[in-house]
Amino acid sequence: MRATEPALSTLPTHRSCPFDPPQEYDRLREQAPVSRLAFPDGKIGWLLTRHQDVRAVLADDRFSSDRSRASSPLGRIPLRPHEPEARAGMLLTMDPPEHTRYRRMLTRYFTVRRMRALVPRIEQIVEAHLDAMERKGPPADLVTAFALPIPSLVICELLGVPYEDRAMFQRWTSTLLRLDTNEKAALAARNALRTYMLQLVAAKRAHPDDALISHLIAAQDTAEETQAELTDEELGGIARLLLVAGHETTANMLALGTYTLLSHPDQLRAMLDHPESVERAVEELLRYLTIVQFGVLRVACEDVEIAGCQIRAGETVVASLAAANRDPEHFDRPGKLDLEREFSQHVAFGHGVHQCLGQQLARVEMEVAFPALFRRFPTLRLAVPPEQVPLREDMLIYGVHALPLTWDGHSPDTLHQQTPSTGG
Amino acid sequence: MKIRIEHDRCRGAGQCALNAPELFDQSDDDGTVIVLDEEPSPELQDSARLAAALCPNAVIRIIESCEA
Ligand code: HEM
Ligand code: SF4
């Protein structure tokens, strides 16, 4: 039966609720969990919607992450990923053992312990942005005032990228992540980012600081056995990947997560009343919202059978993280936001060797930012009707383009009743 | 219960150190897993199972049938 399921023309993209993935995924998961998918380049591949199949493929080394061999389900130009200078350092699109070499160099900088050690600094950054919002008074766009600047500043400090340059790299990033960007604009943005990073790497060689890029340069001087030196192109590629992946993703979780929490006031209150429940709440938001909305791509290196279907060598497989995270076989009442849900093996950070390198950083940023925001502004609410919140259906990473919020500011007669709100 | 590690497969995602900090840490050299206690006491055995289930690379194997 499954094999005769008619090919889909496109990946499901139409959402009927801002917090739910397209409903089409539910139908597919039930009727054709391993389903044929027609790509805009004319090729036919596969779409996986079940939690178990998505995890199986992402943990299977017979599937490659090399995007230059994959078809894109959204008709996005592949950006000539085979050009050496575009590939250098891009571990996201590499397979072991090439991938392993980079990943091993980087993981020590992103361990649970190291990321926890950043908490005091992240708290300062969050408080400073809350102070600025409070000084300006309501209304505010949460994306520009809070959600985007906080992870941008954190990743800049971690890498040693000057925060003053944010307008430039935020613009390039957004060009690269927009679905309708044409090839010319995308290449221009990528080249601008590449040139920028190469200059930065050269500057760090001349004047090292105490941040990650300089550490990677220094680590090579003491490089052990197999780890051949990193070229400037490789260092630039790693830094580019970390900068792009490190700010847009968390930024969208913060803004969309805030919108979600505001829409579930009872659960929000329960979370704020029990600080120890925040970690669990963050995991649930990651699962429920799955902002890597179109899933991740893999290419079969050989013929592989998945759930009774023959996937041929060379075919592209789209593993839908969003559909997997709503699989009723794995999650009890998957469509319900339940901030107290037990640890759930969600795949919002992927699975297998590429599982998100920055996940512990994203977690601590969210664990600090959400409670601090709602404690500072207990009356926080949307400043526009919900249908006017612009959704990022047109971006690789889902979220909101803007989140206009308001709150009860300090009018002169209420001021004295409030304890100084900077204390939290 | 005994904990066994297939260290070669570890990519330092840190699910273990996050979810069972009493049993797992990550090396400062390359971020890969370090087992702090190979034979977890009964009250830590659920955390050990959780860490094994959440590890993205099937690094952590739990041998249940051993006497704790
Ligand atoms: C909530 C925020 C985030 C989400 C939802 C997210 C999601 C993901 C996913 C799904 C993957 C796997 C891609 C694949 O298998 O092809 C991934 C990989 C990656 N992420 Fe994240 N990410 C987040 C935050 C971050 C942050 C803050 C950083 C940087 C510090 C980061 C850096 C990376 C890198 C470098 C990879 C590639 C890892 C590899 O190929 O081994 N991410 N992320
Ligand atoms: S969760 Fe698995 S891959 Fe990640 S550090 Fe622990 S053992 Fe290694």
Side-chain angles (χ1 to χ4, degrees), chain A residues 55 59 96 99-100 103-104 107-108 110-114 116 279 283 343-346 349 351-357 359-360 363, chain B residues 7-19 21 25-32 34 49-50 52-58:
Chain A
R55 275 176 46 112
H99 168 264
T100 317
R103 180 95 192 195
R104 283 272 158 83
T107 39
R108 54 182 287 210
F110 292 92
T111 59
V112 172
R113 200 156 5 104
R114 283 220 184 198
R116 292 242 165 95
E279 282 179 37
E283 293 309 308
F343 292 94
S344 61
Q345 293 189 324
H346 69 72
F349 287 123
H351 184 66
V353 297
H354 291 279
Q355 195 187 60
C356 183
L357 175 71
Q359 57 182 290
Q360 312 304 349
R363 285 189 171 101
Chain B
H7 195 265
D8 280 356
R9 304 162 62 105
C10 176
R11 295 295 178 275
Q15 300 284 8
C16 52
L18 183 70
N19 293 295
D25 197 353
Q26 289 171 279
S27 133
D28 281 331
D29 293 335
D30 63 3
T32 55
I34 298 170
R49 288 186 197 102
L50 177 68
L54 292 179
C55 171
N57 296 303

Side-chain angles (χ1 to χ4, degrees), chain A residues 206-274:
Chain A
H207 306 284
D209 57 17
D210 197 28
L212 182 68
I213 299 175
S214 294
H215 283 295
L216 286 174
I217 294 172
Q220 300 168 64
D221 301 335
T222 57
E224 307 145 34
E225 342 92 60
T226 55
Q227 302 200 343
E229 279 205 6
L230 290 170
T231 63
D232 279 14
E233 285 284 3
E234 289 179 301
L235 286 162
I238 291 170
R240 221 160 74 216
L241 174 62
L242 289 173
L243 183 65
V244 170
H247 77 276
E248 274 270 339
T249 46
T250 310
N252 282 299
M253 274 306 298
L254 287 177
L256 186 63
T258 299
Y259 183 18
T260 309
L261 290 169
L262 286 172
S263 313
H264 296 79
D266 296 345
Q267 292 198 52
L268 169 60
R269 212 165 308 123
M271 178 189 92
L272 294 174
D273 287 346
H274 302 278

Side-chain angles (χ1 to χ4, degrees), chain A residues 11-13 15 21-22 25 179 289-295 320-323 392-399:
Chain A
L11 195 69
T13 52
R15 288 174 187 257
Y25 282 124
L179 297 181
L289 299 172
T290 315
I291 56 171
V292 179
Q293 61 175 335
F294 303 119
S320 174
L321 306 179
R392 290 173 47 117
E393 287 169 298
D394 54 341
M395 306 294 279
L396 282 176
I397 308 290
Y398 186 60

